[in-house]
Amino acid sequence: MSRARVRWNTQPVDRAARAGALRGVRLAAEHLLAESRAVVPIEEATLERSGTVTVDEADTSAVVSYDTPYAVRQHEDMTLRHDAGRTAKYLERPLTEEAETMQRIIAAQVRRALRG
């Protein structure tokens, strides 16, 4: 009977997977921001321009936000009237509609990072 001992150092794999996940999360959040900008209510484009992506590397998460005094009201108030193609729930709807695409973006970046 012969024996073999295999020692596998997982640190490089873990680092690569994390780097890919971070890149994927950033790209997915940028995708969401672009999709939401296409439907955000627009008059002077101030709300649209206020959209940002913030990535928390420690938590491997991202936040897409809009920062104007009226951003929340524009998002939540379904009684407001908007130009054609613009809508309330300008962030929530694209998040729901693009969830699978964003998951694919993240998975693709992890796979890419693991291939080296």
Side-chain angles (χ1 to χ4, degrees):
M1 174 188 237
S2 61
R3 293 181 185 205
R5 177 176 278 172
V6 176
R7 183 178 279 191
W8 184 6
N9 182 359
T10 62
Q11 288 179 345
V13 174
D14 292 342
R15 278 194 299 271
R18 180 166 170 68
L22 280 171
R23 179 164 170 71
V25 164
R26 177 177 300 283
L27 291 172
E30 292 288 348
H31 174 77
L32 175 59
L33 178 61
E35 292 296 314
S36 69
R37 280 184 169 157
V39 295
V40 71
I42 191 166
E43 282 190 28
E44 297 175 8
T46 303
L47 180 57
E48 180 183 8
R49 284 192 307 270
S50 77
T52 61
V53 169
T54 306
V55 175
D56 182 344
E57 291 187 13
D59 194 34
T60 317
S61 65
V63 173
V64 177
S65 62
Y66 286 84
D67 186 24
T68 66
Y70 48 86
V72 172
R73 180 161 185 240
Q74 288 288 330
H75 189 272
E76 297 300 321
D77 191 341
M78 300 295 286
T79 65
L80 296 177
R81 301 184 78 187
H82 303 292
D83 294 341
R86 304 301 177 142
T87 184
K89 303 295 185 180
Y90 54 86
L91 192 53
E92 184 178 326
R93 285 182 185 174
L95 176 63
T96 301
E97 294 168 359
E98 297 296 316
E100 287 183 30
T101 298
M102 292 187 301
Q103 290 171 357
R104 285 194 299 268
I105 290 169
I106 295 167
Q109 291 305 312
V110 171
R111 280 192 305 273
R112 181 177 179 187
L114 290 174
R115 288 184 192 137

